[in-house]
Amino acid sequence: MAAFNRERVEHALNELLARVVPDDPQEDEEIANQRFEDAFDFAIDALTTAGEPSVVPDINHVASLIDRRISRDANGAQKSTRFHNLLSRLISQPVLEQKWRMLHFLNQLSDLPSATEQAHHHQTRAPTTPTRHNPSGAPAADSPAFRDAFSRPGLSKIPVNDGSPRASPRPVTQGEKSDKRKERRTQDAGKEQTGEAAPAGFSKAAMEPSEPSLLRDLPFTLQGLSSTNLTFPSSTALKLPSTLPVPLISLLHTLAEPSLLYRGLSEFVESTEGGLVGQSFRSALGKELRSYLGLVATLEGQIRRALAQLDETQPRGGIGKAGVTLKRCVIWTREATMGLRLMSLMVEESKGKKGGELISLIHSFSLSHGDPYVGAFAERLLAHVTRPFYDMLRQWIYDGELADPFGEFFVSEQREDEISEANGKEGKGGATSVWEDKYKLNERMIPTIITEEFANKVFLIGKTLNFIRYGCGDAAWVDTYSKEASKELQYGDTANLEQSIGDAYKTTMARLIDLMANKFKLFEHLQALKKYLLLGAGDFIAILMESLSQTLDRPANTQYRHTLTAQLEHAVRNSNAQFDSPDVLRRLDSRMLELSHGEIGWDVFTLEYKIDAPVDVIVTPFGSKQYLKVFNFLWRVKRVEFALGSTWRRCMTGARGVLGTVSDKVGVDWKKARCAVAEMIHFVTQLQYYILFEVIESSWNELQDALHKPESTLDDLIQAHAKYLTSITRKGLLGSQSTDFTGQLHELLKTMLAYKDAVDGLYSFSVAEFTRRQEQAAKIETRTAAGRWGLSEKDNLGSDSPDPFAPIRRLRTDPDSPFPPPLIQLGTAGSGEDDVLPALRKRLATLIVDFRAKVNVLLGDLIHQPDHDMRWLAMVMNFNDVYQPVRRRRKMDKKRDKETPQPSTAK
């Protein structure tokens, strides 16, 4: 046996023999003690010489042997289940080290015979005790008393020593027997306490300081204060006397833990660092420490009463009878030590955390810890720690104000420089910046006592109230709402909190939507944007374009703002736009884009609809640019339609008059031109129909459904409008990641305008030819009436004049001329008819071929788009298969073809 185990073995063996070795009331005390000592020495010798068991120490093997033995008995299955349960509990005990020896010992005990078998085989199986110093009156080893003592059921009756000469015929009473056993137990207990207080190697003189002295200093030590015997050299160390025995050192080590923990916690509580939640955490810890000090005060009172009752005549001053020992102090402070240990762990892990992070840390102890004491302790702390958090929450959801000086709430207010840095150089400005950038949701600070969905709803409520107060200028309603709806919020009242948040959410969202719809006329502004910038008001756009057509044909640097504004007012007064509200008409304006060299008025003119706060939170500055982009594209398409329509009307009108007289010369050209113009008008009409109806109208209907959805929030309106803008810009401008449809359309529009100019040149040529023929017919008629020849040789030579536009030049200065001026300068001095008409024909043929080639490429790209609306547009434009769509090869395909080596041909 090891040295440190010998005391425990001797103590356990002493207890066992005190209960097993029979007592004879009539036996002499010295003989009984000697017999007990002999039995004790015999048992010690047997244990010392036993050695290690020959069996391999395998706990599973021993357990299987015991289980096999149990299973053979009646109710074996039930007993086996119970055995396995007890075995698992034994294995899980970390204190017990010799688990295999225990099971082996129990298995060996089960091999002993029963009481009935032992009665038949007592001669070979009964253990014997040493017989040295055995007087004649001592019982023999084979006496019935010894057999009964070592039998399995134990001692059945008190043996009587009949052979003793001092045997009294008087039977021993039960009271005397009980007194003797009590006296023996008292002596054993005294030995045990003496062994604890003064183990081997330490004398009574070495017990300095004494246990009463240590108890007297203990209350000061538990409060983190140095005393005579126990001093604190630093805040993290306690110096113990070097003269104390190991058991007392062990007890003082245990008592030093709460002392050092309290000392560190008290320093943390007295510090002033951290925010509101951090100070609340310190306050909660201080309250727990005051409860700990109450326990120390109670313990101090017990120690003082116990020290007052000490008797110096008793061993160790009678400290054991006083009721207060160091071991009992350890037991009394065990729960408090656990609380201090838990608080110290929280303090250690809370470093660098604040606000919601600190609350989440404490809440994690109540969620993920299985100890009920830890969970209850964390819940008790949370009730105090969360008070500043709920105060900030209440002010945020009822007043829309953020009272967070230390940045502990999960909503943070951004500084101006942060907003500018996030938005870049352009910036959002207006209500958009207030709504989107003023406050941000800090997900890292969201405590685990609320869900992320709950936090988003809280964030939206406070942001809405703040926007109503500052963005919409309705602070009076916010103040009234705060007074009527404000409630006290606290931890643990989940039902009341959820109801408060739900009511606040509905009320604030309904108020904000009502303000945007009725006070700030959001829906009217969206309707006006659709009518004027998306060309929804057809009569207004037609009158505006007709009135501006002559002005916009001039160079861009000759355009003036007041002229454009006057034409805009004229279009408003002569269309249904005059019935719109004055606020809408006041926001409608015309302006010029940035001028570039060579541009005309058509290229720089644009309409503008001014949006101010707080409506600009939905129609953002970026959204206004998107509207402007769509308007410019639609305006170009509308201009081409207007130009082609004007040319078509002139052609149809002239076909019955001027053009009919020259059909012999340019009739075929005009037939081709009318077919080409009709083809272009069909293309432009289908493109406009697709953009205005298939894209804008369908997206507008979706926007209306989203805006009038019940319980919609301002964020929902912003998202719905952003989706609407994305749809009309992506689909309306034929946006695609792989193909530049906008560039293709612009080239097609330029080609159509160039063809229109060429047709106007052909018309001017036809008019010039008609004028020449009219003048020649009038000259013939005049000469014939005068009796001369209608045509002379000079006239025949003049008929071959190289300048068929000479009459036009002469008539150009005549204001009363019935012929319109030529639109382009065709033919100059020295150029003949043979040069002008072929050039026009070549120009018209080249443009129509170029137009059809570009349409084929456009249709080929549209057919292969994933969007079904774009594929539908390609089908409508080519409904009779007059075009042959060709898909343009991409740059990557061309590059891949170049990199692919060509196979060489054999010569």
Side-chain angles (χ1 to χ4, degrees):
M1 291 181 296
F4 61 89
N5 284 333
R6 186 176 185 87
E7 297 178 2
R8 297 176 55 188
V9 171
E10 290 178 353
H11 170 69
L13 188 59
N14 186 54
E15 287 286 332
L16 178 63
L17 293 178
R19 290 168 174 79
V20 172
V21 176
D23 292 336
D24 188 0
Q26 300 178 1
E27 189 178 16
D28 185 65
E29 185 68 21
E30 293 182 359
I31 298 176
N33 291 337
Q34 184 62 39
R35 182 165 53 85
F36 185 86
E37 291 296 332
D38 294 341
F40 183 82
D41 294 339
F42 174 78
I44 286 294
D45 294 339
L47 291 175
T48 305
T49 58
E52 294 294 332
S54 59
V55 184
V56 178
D58 187 359
I59 189 172
N60 296 322
H61 177 67
V62 176
S64 63
L65 293 177
I66 297 176
D67 183 45
R68 193 180 308 162
R69 185 189 302 275
I70 292 175
S71 301
R72 292 197 297 263
D73 299 340
N75 299 327
Q78 184 177 359
K79 292 181 180 179
S80 177
T81 303
R82 185 181 179 189
F83 168 72
H84 282 289
N85 185 20
L86 295 174
L87 178 64
S88 62
R89 291 168 61 183
L90 174 66
I91 295 175
S92 63
Q93 293 294 326
V95 179
L96 303 177
E97 298 179 356
Q98 305 294 334
K99 300 182 179 64
W100 173 81
R101 295 179 181 274
M102 297 177 185
L103 293 177
H104 180 68
F105 175 69
L106 293 175
N107 187 35
Q108 293 297 321
L109 284 180
S110 63
D111 290 336
L112 295 178
S114 61
T116 307
E117 296 174 351
Q118 191 176 8
H120 296 287
H121 305 284
H122 65 276
Q123 293 181 353
T124 59
R125 305 270 305 182
T128 60
T129 57
T131 57
R132 56 194 175 114
H133 306 291
N134 188 17
S136 58
D142 55 351
S143 65
F146 273 90
R147 290 198 303 270
D148 292 342
F150 285 95
S151 64
R152 175 173 295 208
L155 200 60
S156 58
K157 63 179 181 178
I158 298 177
V160 179
N161 190 357
D162 296 334
S164 175
R166 292 175 294 178
S168 173
R170 179 181 63 87
V172 180
T173 62
Q174 186 67 23
E176 294 177 353
K177 171 187 173 183
S178 178
D179 293 340
K180 282 185 174 289
R181 290 185 177 179
K182 194 177 297 183
E183 183 179 357
R184 174 69 60 83
R185 300 286 170 83
T186 304
Q187 294 175 358
D188 294 338
K191 292 180 181 179
E192 177 185 354
Q193 291 187 1
T194 305
E196 281 187 1
F202 286 93
S203 63
K204 249 186 176 183
M207 282 283 295
E208 283 296 333
S210 62
E211 187 171 356
S213 300
L214 295 174
L215 286 173
R216 189 177 295 108
D217 294 342
L218 184 60
F220 300 98
T221 304
L222 293 176
Q223 298 179 62
L225 303 175
S226 298
S227 59
T228 305
N229 301 309
L230 303 173
T231 58
F232 289 90
S234 65
S235 60
T236 58
L238 175 64
K239 184 178 181 182
L240 303 179
S242 58
T243 58
L244 292 177
V246 174
L248 282 184
I249 292 294
S250 175
L251 294 176
L252 290 177
H253 268 292
T254 307
L255 292 172
E257 182 182 4
S259 307
L260 295 173
L261 291 176
Y262 174 81
R263 192 181 179 95
L265 289 173
S266 61
E267 292 178 359
F268 175 78
V269 169
E270 292 173 0
S271 63
T272 57
E273 300 176 357
L276 298 178
V277 177
Q279 292 297 327
S280 181
F281 178 54
R282 287 172 169 80
S283 176
L285 294 182
K287 186 177 180 181
E288 296 295 332
L289 292 181
R290 286 192 293 272
S291 301
Y292 168 77
L293 291 179
L295 171 64
V296 173
T298 304
L299 186 62
E300 183 180 7
Q302 295 289 338
I303 292 175
R304 288 183 177 180
R305 282 193 294 270
L307 294 178
Q309 299 174 3
L310 290 181
D311 186 2
E312 298 297 336
T313 60
Q314 298 292 331
R316 299 169 57 230
I319 190 67
K321 295 182 179 180
V324 179
T325 60
L326 289 176
K327 182 177 289 187
R328 291 186 178 182
C329 290
V330 169
I331 296 173
W332 291 340
T333 58
R334 181 174 297 170
E335 185 174 349
T337 303
M338 186 182 299
L340 293 173
R341 190 182 302 157
L342 181 59
M343 287 189 288
S344 179
L345 178 62
M346 291 180 180
V347 169
E348 188 67 26
E349 294 188 3
S350 67
K351 291 181 179 179
K353 292 181 171 59
K354 62 178 182 178
E357 294 177 317
L358 182 57
I359 295 175
S360 300
L361 170 65
I362 302 174
H363 190 236
S364 64
F365 284 92
S366 64
L367 286 180
S368 59
H369 208 287
D371 192 345
Y373 174 79
V374 176
F377 189 86
E379 290 289 329
R380 190 165 65 249
L381 282 183
L382 282 175
H384 296 277
V385 174
T386 55
R387 286 179 182 175
F389 172 80
Y390 280 104
D391 289 340
M392 289 185 280
L393 178 64
R394 183 195 60 78
Q395 196 164 358
W396 175 251
I397 65 173
Y398 291 124
D399 297 329
E401 297 289 348
L402 184 61
D404 185 19
F406 298 98
E408 298 175 296
F409 200 52
F410 57 84
V411 178
S412 59
E413 183 175 1
Q414 296 198 113
R415 299 189 302 271
E416 293 294 334
D417 54 346
E418 293 178 348
I419 296 176
S420 302
E421 184 179 354
N423 295 333
K425 297 181 179 179
E426 297 182 358
K428 298 179 181 178
T432 305
S433 178
V434 174
W435 177 261
E436 294 185 0
D437 301 325
K438 186 176 182 181
Y439 296 104
K440 288 296 181 182
L441 182 64
N442 190 357
E443 297 181 355
R444 185 172 56 89
M445 284 294 178
I446 298 178
T448 54
I449 58 177
I450 60 176
T451 61
E452 187 174 354
E453 180 183 359
F454 188 85
N456 288 324
K457 188 176 291 187
V458 168
F459 173 66
L460 191 58
I461 291 172
K463 189 170 67 169
T464 302
L465 287 174
N466 189 273
F467 185 76
I468 292 175
R469 181 189 293 272
Y470 297 105
C472 301
D474 197 5
W477 180 87
V478 177
D479 295 336
T480 304
Y481 164 76
S482 177
K483 293 178 182 178
E484 294 177 353
S486 182
K487 297 179 182 179
E488 187 70 24
L489 304 177
Q490 59 183 358
Y491 176 74
D493 194 0
T494 307
N496 185 26
L497 181 61
E498 291 181 353
Q499 182 180 359
S500 301
I501 296 299
D503 296 342
Y505 182 80
K506 293 179 182 178
T507 305
T508 54
M509 294 302 111
R511 178 60 181 176
L512 181 56
I513 298 301
D514 179 70
L515 286 174
M516 298 296 291
N518 299 323
K519 182 178 179 180
F520 301 104
K521 310 296 183 183
L522 170 64
F523 303 129
E524 290 186 11
H525 295 318
L526 293 177
Q527 183 70 35
L529 287 168
K530 177 177 177 290
K531 287 174 60 177
Y532 299 118
L533 296 189
L534 301 182
L535 309 189
D539 57 340
F540 167 78
I541 297 299
I543 296 174
L544 179 65
M545 186 164 289
E546 185 176 356
S547 62
L548 287 174
S549 58
Q550 295 182 358
T551 304
L552 297 180
D553 283 335
R554 297 197 295 268
N557 55 4
T558 63
Q559 307 294 328
Y560 297 99
R561 179 79 177 268
H562 64 275
T563 304
L564 301 178
T565 305
Q567 297 297 335
L568 177 63
E569 293 179 356
H570 168 73
V572 170
R573 287 195 301 269
N574 290 276
S575 64
N576 288 327
Q578 62 182 319
F579 300 109
D580 283 341
S581 64
D583 182 59
V584 171
L585 297 179
R586 177 179 59 83
R587 298 172 183 272
L588 187 62
D589 194 11
S590 61
R591 66 183 182 92
M592 307 294 292
L593 299 175
E594 294 182 2
L595 302 180
S596 298
H597 180 70
E599 291 183 337
I600 62 175
W602 290 103
D603 300 325
V604 295
F605 173 80
T606 185
L607 284 181
E608 182 182 23
Y609 191 85
K610 298 177 182 179
I611 296 292
D612 53 13
V615 181
D616 62 350
V617 72
I618 295 177
V619 186
T620 61
F622 175 77
S624 299
K625 292 180 181 180
Q626 296 296 99
Y627 276 112
L628 184 62
K629 183 187 296 184
V630 177
F631 171 78
N632 290 333
F633 178 73
L634 292 176
W635 182 253
R636 291 188 179 187
V637 176
K638 202 71 177 178
R639 176 209 173 184
V640 172
E641 182 195 28
F642 177 77
L644 292 176
S646 301
T647 302
W648 179 263
R649 287 193 300 271
R650 180 182 292 182
C651 293
M652 292 298 101
T653 304
R656 296 188 295 271
V658 177
L659 302 181
T661 59
V662 294
S663 60
D664 57 331
K665 191 170 186 177
V666 292
V668 177
D669 298 320
W670 275 111
K671 184 177 181 179
K672 293 179 180 179
R674 282 193 294 268
C675 291
V677 170
E679 188 176 334
M680 293 178 181
I681 290 176
H682 169 74
F683 177 85
V684 173
T685 303
Q686 294 302 325
L687 180 61
Q688 278 195 105
Y689 172 80
Y690 166 76
I691 297 175
L692 295 177
F693 293 96
E694 296 298 331
V695 176
I696 295 179
E697 283 298 329
S698 62
S699 300
W700 175 258
N701 293 333
E702 294 177 1
L703 176 63
Q704 292 298 308
D705 295 339
L707 293 180
H708 295 89
K709 187 180 297 183
E711 297 184 2
S712 60
T713 64
L714 186 60
D715 280 333
D716 294 336
L717 301 186
I718 294 173
Q719 292 176 3
H721 184 260
K723 181 181 178 182
Y724 167 70
L725 272 183
T726 302
S727 177
I728 63 176
T729 52
R730 185 182 62 84
K731 297 171 65 176
L733 301 180
L734 304 182
S736 175
Q737 296 181 352
S738 58
T739 308
D740 182 18
F741 287 108
T742 306
Q744 295 185 44
L745 290 175
H746 283 317
E747 293 297 326
L748 278 169
L749 296 178
K750 289 180 181 179
T751 302
M752 286 186 277
L753 288 176
Y755 192 85
K756 176 257 182 190
D757 292 337
V759 172
D760 288 342
L762 180 62
Y763 186 83
S764 298
F765 178 86
S766 301
V767 171
E769 178 67 20
F770 171 76
T771 303
R772 188 183 64 79
R773 290 184 181 186
Q774 288 293 96
E775 288 182 352
Q776 188 177 17
K779 187 183 296 186
I780 293 173
E781 185 178 353
T782 302
R783 290 180 179 180
T784 302
R788 293 182 298 172
W789 292 101
L791 294 174
S792 62
E793 293 181 358
K794 182 180 179 180
D795 293 330
N796 290 333
L797 293 173
S799 63
D800 297 332
S801 171
D803 191 2
F805 292 98
I808 301 302
R809 289 197 190 93
R810 291 193 299 268
L811 292 174
R812 185 178 301 163
T813 59
D814 186 5
D816 298 329
S817 175
F819 303 106
L823 297 179
I824 58 175
Q825 297 291 336
L826 291 176
T828 58
S831 65
E833 178 185 349
D834 295 338
D835 297 330
V836 174
L837 186 59
L840 285 173
R841 288 173 176 171
K842 184 177 180 181
R843 175 70 172 163
L844 291 172
T846 303
L847 290 175
I848 190 63
V849 170
D850 188 24
F851 169 76
R852 288 171 178 168
K854 292 178 179 179
V855 171
N856 286 333
V857 173
L858 176 66
L859 295 179
D861 291 338
L862 288 175
I863 289 175
H864 294 87
Q865 289 300 309
D867 189 87
H868 64 89
D869 289 331
M870 292 186 181
R871 297 197 300 270
W872 181 86
L873 175 62
M875 183 270 296
V876 171
M877 287 183 174
N878 193 25
F879 68 97
N880 55 357
D881 292 334
V882 69
Y883 299 107
Q884 301 298 324
V886 177
R887 190 175 188 186
R888 184 171 49 183
R889 299 182 69 186
R890 300 180 183 177
K891 295 181 180 179
M892 295 300 296
D893 297 338
K894 295 180 181 179
K895 185 177 180 181
R896 193 181 301 112
D897 293 344
K898 290 182 180 179
E899 295 176 353
T900 303
Q902 298 294 335
S904 58
T905 57
K907 295 182 180 179

